[in-house]
Amino acid sequence: MARQQERRTIHVDGEWREAISGATRDIIDPAVARPFAVVAEGDEKDTDLAVEAARRAFDEGDWPRTPVAERAALLRRVADLLVRDREELGALESRDAGKTLEEGRVDIDCVADAFRYFADLVAAEAPGRVVDAGSPDIHSVVVHEPVGVCALITPWNYPLLQASWKVAPALAAGNTFVVKPSEITPLTTVALIDLLAEAGLPSGVANIVTGPGHSVGARLAEHPDVDLVSFTGGLVSGTKVAQAAAPSVKKVALELGGKNPNVVFADACTTDEGFDTAVDQALNAAFIHSGQVCSAGARLIVEESLRDRFVAELARRAAKIRLGRGTDEGVECGPLVSAQQRAKVEAYVASALEEGAILRTGGKRPEGLGAGYFYEPTVLDACHREMRVVREEVFGPVLTVETFRTEDEAVALANDTEYGLAGAVWTADAGRARRVAGRLRHGTVWINDFHPYLPQAEWGGFGKSGVGRELGPAGLAEYRESKHVYQNLAPKPVRWFAG
C-alpha cells in the first residue's frame, strides 16, 4: 500500500512504472485543498503499451483459457484481501474522494461483495445452453466466451466500487483489461492492481494507466485492439467515448448518471413514524457523499397537501448536517471533490434563484472549515421543470422541490427527464406503489426506500442514463460473446446442386 505515495502508478505487463513523459499529477485532499500524493500522468504512449500487454495476455496467455473454477477462486481471494485491508483502503477512499470514513469502509465491503458475487455466478453456471435442433443427428449448443481486451474507464465519486463493477465481471468472464481511473481519485484502484497480483493474477491481465480522459480515456475508446469499452461518468464524456468507439465497432457499455425523482405521496406520512422515515430518507437520497452520487434523489416530488410540512422539516434537518473532514469523529458529510465541482454547484444554485426558486436552507460555503471544498446542504423550493437545476445533473448537495396533486401528475413529473437511472415512490397504498413503479421509466425503482442496491440485480438506466447494465447476470454478459456451435453427427451430401 506504500505505492500510493509513489510516482510509479502505471502498471503494464506486471511491472509498475512512471509515465513515459515523466509527467506527474498531485492528488488533492479535498477537505484541506492540499496535495497528499503524487501519481504518474500517463498519455497515449503509455496507453498503447498497456493495450499491447493486455492484447498479448489475451491472445497468448493462459487467463482466457483458465478453468472457471480457478477464475472464481482467484476472485474470492481478492475479496478476502479486500476484507483484510478494509481499514486502510476505506481511509484512503475517504481521504481521496472526501467522503466520510464510514462511507469509505462500506464501499470496501461492497467491493468485496461484488468480487464474491461474480465468482459465485460463474462457478454455478452450466458450460453451455443446449439448443434443440429437432434432430438426434444434430448437437447444437450456445457457449459464452470472453470478449477480449476491455477498456474500463471509471469515475471519481466511487472510485474502487465502480472499478469493481467492471473488473470483477471482466475477470470472471476471462478477459484482460486496461483500467483508467479518474485522474482526481485514482489511489484505491492503483491499490486494487496490487491485490490482484497478490491473489495470483498472471502478468498482463490487469493493467492500469493513470492520466486524464482527453488522452488516456480517448485513446482507450478509439484503440483498434480494444474489444470493449465500459465507461461510467458524465453524459458529455460518455457521448465522446461512444463516438470514438464507433469506427472500430467495439462493444460499448455506458453508465451516464441521472436526474432521479423521489416521489412522496401524502399517505406515506399519515403517522409520525412514516413522516420521519420519509424525511430521513429524502435527506439520505440527496446528501449522501455530498450529493455526488449518480443515483442521488436530487428531485423531491411531493404531494401538494404535504409539501409545506415536509419541506420545513427537511430544511430544518438539512441545516443541522455536520460538515467536515470525513475522517473526523461525528462528521456526517464531507467536501465536494474539487474546487471546480464546487464552482459548478454554486453556478447551478445561482441560476435556480434567478429563475425563481426559493432557498429554504444552505446555498453557500460554510464558515470555519478552512480551505476545503465544502458546500452546505441546500434545499430549493418552488422549482419547476424549466429550471436548469431541475433538468441537469448537479452532482452536489442540492435538492429541488416540485409538487403534484394526482398520481398521473406525479408519474409525468418523475418521467419528465432525459435521464432514467433511478427513482423512488413513497406510499402506504400497495396498489399505487406497484402502479407507479411500473410506470416509472428508470432502471432502478425503490418503493419506500432509497439507494440500496444488490450485486445480483442489474444496474443501469433508460434514456441518456446510458446503455448496457452492470451487476447481475446481464453485467457479466456485457463482458462475453455468445457463440453457437452446431455439430452434424451424421454428415451426408445435401445434393443442392445436381452436377
Side-chain angles (χ1 to χ4, degrees):
M1 300 294 290
R3 188 174 307 284
Q4 308 311 329
Q5 306 300 325
E6 299 178 3
R7 301 181 180 199
R8 297 170 59 246
T9 55
I10 294 174
H11 191 263
V12 176
D13 206 12
E15 295 183 355
W16 289 103
R17 60 181 67 187
E18 297 182 4
I20 293 173
S21 68
T24 61
R25 174 186 289 264
D26 288 338
I27 301 303
I28 306 299
D29 182 337
V32 294
R34 289 198 303 269
F36 75 101
V38 178
V39 298
E41 181 88 327
D43 60 18
E44 293 88 348
K45 292 181 180 179
D46 301 284
T47 305
D48 285 347
L49 288 178
V51 172
E52 180 183 341
R55 182 82 267 166
R56 186 168 53 251
F58 184 82
D59 293 340
E60 304 172 15
D62 295 331
W63 183 250
R65 287 154 288 281
T66 297
V68 168
E70 293 183 27
R71 295 204 301 265
L74 184 137
L75 294 184
R76 293 191 185 101
R77 289 196 295 274
V78 174
D80 292 341
L81 294 172
L82 287 160
V83 171
R84 182 197 69 187
D85 294 344
R86 178 181 187 258
E87 288 301 312
E88 189 175 357
L89 288 169
L92 185 61
E93 197 79 322
S94 170
R95 191 174 187 189
D96 201 7
K99 60 184 64 180
T100 66
L101 185 56
E102 185 57 31
E103 286 179 272
R105 291 169 177 151
V106 170
D107 284 357
I108 305 309
D109 293 339
C110 292
V111 172
D113 288 345
F115 275 90
R116 288 201 179 95
Y117 168 71
F118 284 108
D120 293 344
L121 183 62
V122 294
E125 284 185 324
R129 175 170 58 88
V130 176
V131 178
D132 184 0
S135 169
D137 294 332
I138 301 299
H139 180 261
S140 180
V141 62
V142 174
V143 296
H144 302 293
E145 298 183 355
V147 69
V149 175
C150 302
L152 312 178
I153 305 174
T154 60
W156 49 258
N157 59 331
Y158 284 88
L160 192 56
L161 182 61
Q162 292 289 338
S164 74
W165 289 13
K166 304 178 190 299
V167 169
L171 292 178
N175 297 284
T176 63
F177 69 82
V178 180
V179 61
K180 190 209 89 67
S182 167
E183 59 268 34
I184 302 174
T185 57
L187 300 181
T188 50
T189 308
V190 172
L192 176 63
I193 301 300
D194 268 336
L195 295 185
L196 292 172
E198 184 178 350
L201 190 68
S203 295
V205 175
N207 306 274
I208 183 172
V209 181
T210 51
H214 66 78
S215 57
V216 178
R219 181 57 179 155
L220 284 172
E222 70 181 10
H223 202 295
D225 282 340
V226 168
D227 301 297
L228 172 149
V229 57
S230 178
F231 171 86
T232 299
L235 176 59
V236 173
S237 297
T239 302
K240 292 179 180 178
V241 166
Q243 291 170 339
S248 55
V249 200
K250 57 173 59 73
K251 293 185 71 174
V252 176
L254 304 172
E255 202 268 82
L256 305 179
K259 194 65 182 178
N260 312 290
N262 186 21
V263 180
V264 181
F265 286 89
D267 65 20
C269 299
T270 55
T271 66
D272 290 344
E273 182 180 5
F275 179 79
D276 176 68
T277 299
V279 172
D280 174 77
Q281 289 277 17
L283 292 168
N284 293 342
F287 301 129
I288 287 289
H289 193 17
S290 295
Q292 299 170 121
V293 185
C294 60
S295 57
R299 293 179 66 201
L300 175 64
I301 302 174
V302 61
E303 192 164 354
E304 190 173 272
S305 62
L306 177 65
R307 177 257 196 88
D308 289 348
R309 179 187 174 212
F310 197 95
V311 173
E313 179 63 9
L314 185 73
R316 185 188 71 81
R317 296 192 197 182
K320 297 175 67 176
I321 291 174
R322 294 189 294 276
L323 302 179
R325 186 169 191 159
T327 53
D328 290 348
E329 189 71 27
V331 167
E332 298 172 320
C333 200
L336 295 172
V337 76
S338 66
Q340 180 183 11
Q341 188 63 22
R342 182 171 63 181
K344 175 185 172 184
V345 171
E346 290 174 326
Y348 272 113
V349 172
S351 72
L353 297 177
E354 290 173 1
E355 293 172 320
I358 299 173
L359 181 66
R360 296 300 183 191
T361 191
K364 65 182 187 301
R365 303 180 186 187
E367 298 178 358
L369 288 178
Y373 309 129
F374 294 96
Y375 194 78
E376 292 182 352
T378 299
V379 177
L380 297 170
D381 200 359
C383 294
H384 55 78
R385 181 65 179 85
E386 286 69 36
M387 294 176 174
R388 285 184 60 229
V389 74
V390 174
R391 296 194 314 270
E392 300 175 14
E393 190 174 34
V394 175
F395 231 63
V398 178
L399 177 64
T400 62
V401 180
E402 302 163 79
T403 60
F404 67 90
R405 294 183 179 179
T406 68
E407 182 178 313
D408 285 344
E409 186 181 2
V411 171
L413 283 171
N415 285 335
D416 189 11
T417 172
E418 63 183 5
Y419 295 101
L421 183 60
V425 54
W426 290 81
T427 178
D429 184 329
R432 170 180 282 163
R434 289 191 294 271
R435 286 194 307 272
V436 173
R439 295 173 67 189
L440 291 181
R441 297 282 295 168
H442 300 273
T444 294
V445 177
W446 295 288
I447 298 174
N448 297 335
D449 211 330
F450 210 103
H451 274 320
Y453 79 93
L454 302 171
Q456 59 267 38
E458 280 74 2
W459 180 266
F462 296 9
K464 291 186 178 180
S465 284
V467 294
R469 290 294 183 268
E470 296 190 293
L471 303 180
L476 178 63
E478 295 285 352
Y479 294 90
R480 286 172 158 176
E481 296 282 12
S482 296
K483 176 185 286 186
H484 178 205
V485 179
Y486 179 103
Q487 182 180 7
N488 190 336
L489 302 175
K492 57 186 177 182
V494 177
R495 304 301 185 194
W496 186 273
F497 300 106

